[in-house]
Amino acid sequence: MRLVIQRVANASVTVDGQTVSSIEKGLLVLVGVENGDTVDDVQWLAAKTVALRIFPDSEGIMNLSLNDIGGEILAVSQFTLTASTRKGNRPSYIRAAGHQLAVSLYDAYCAKVSELTGRPVAKGIFGADMKVSLVNDGPVTIIIDSRLRE
């Protein structure tokens, strides 16, 4: 699984002109699920997401986590994170998980993050043509891949 995590002042998802989710200060997380991903990947990534110390403390040092600031989280499925651009100019999505696995692990990730924060996770609509708006705070953007556990 691959995540792109952005610290935001606010973010929202719109589908067909209707806002389906929005958050204030917190994290926008784009979630890509690949073939072979498992619940173990979900557990590791959810814990990492919630524990990331990327919010400023009183001295402006990135030292606080999502839970420390009581921040919100918006998770949006994004199969294009699995793209391979190795050959040619048209990305290949052959590594993207099939619909059933992708939905299952995306939902499991959201549920685990909700459990770890004690707050609901705002979500996009899986498979929909979504318009995602955000005000990136910092900007701070972190990429995490469960296959590259650094």
Side-chain angles (χ1 to χ4, degrees):
M1 287 177 73
R2 289 183 179 165
L3 304 181
V4 173
I5 300 172
Q6 297 177 297
R7 188 178 81 187
V8 297
N10 59 67
S12 64
V13 175
T14 303
V15 176
D16 295 329
Q18 302 273 351
T19 300
V20 296
S21 290
S22 64
I23 63 166
E24 293 302 319
K25 185 175 185 174
L27 299 175
L28 169 65
V29 181
L30 306 176
V31 181
V33 181
E34 293 182 300
N35 288 317
D37 287 340
T38 67
V39 173
D40 181 57
D41 295 303
V42 167
Q43 302 287 331
W44 185 78
L45 287 168
K48 197 74 160 167
T49 301
V50 172
L52 278 177
R53 294 176 8 185
I54 59 174
F55 292 93
D57 62 17
S58 61
E59 297 181 19
I61 307 296
M62 285 197 291
N63 207 22
L64 301 176
S65 71
L66 185 70
N67 279 344
D68 293 333
I69 66 149
E72 297 180 279
I73 188 164
L74 171 57
V76 177
S77 62
Q78 189 172 3
F79 79 94
T80 59
L81 291 179
T82 69
S84 171
T85 57
R86 188 168 294 187
K87 296 192 315 190
N89 294 317
R90 183 175 180 197
S92 168
Y93 302 106
I94 193 102
R95 297 188 310 217
H99 184 82
Q100 187 174 1
L101 177 63
V103 170
S104 173
L105 293 182
Y106 167 72
D107 286 343
Y109 172 80
C110 293
K112 186 62 179 178
V113 168
S114 181
E115 175 188 319
L116 294 171
T117 62
R119 292 181 300 284
V121 171
K123 296 164 57 171
I125 297 176
F126 194 95
D129 181 15
M130 295 177 275
K131 307 300 182 220
V132 179
S133 299
L134 69 137
V135 175
N136 200 324
D137 181 15
V140 174
T141 302
I142 308 288
I143 301 170
I144 304 176
D145 190 319
S146 63
R147 295 179 188 195
L148 304 172
R149 296 187 184 195
E150 303 175 308

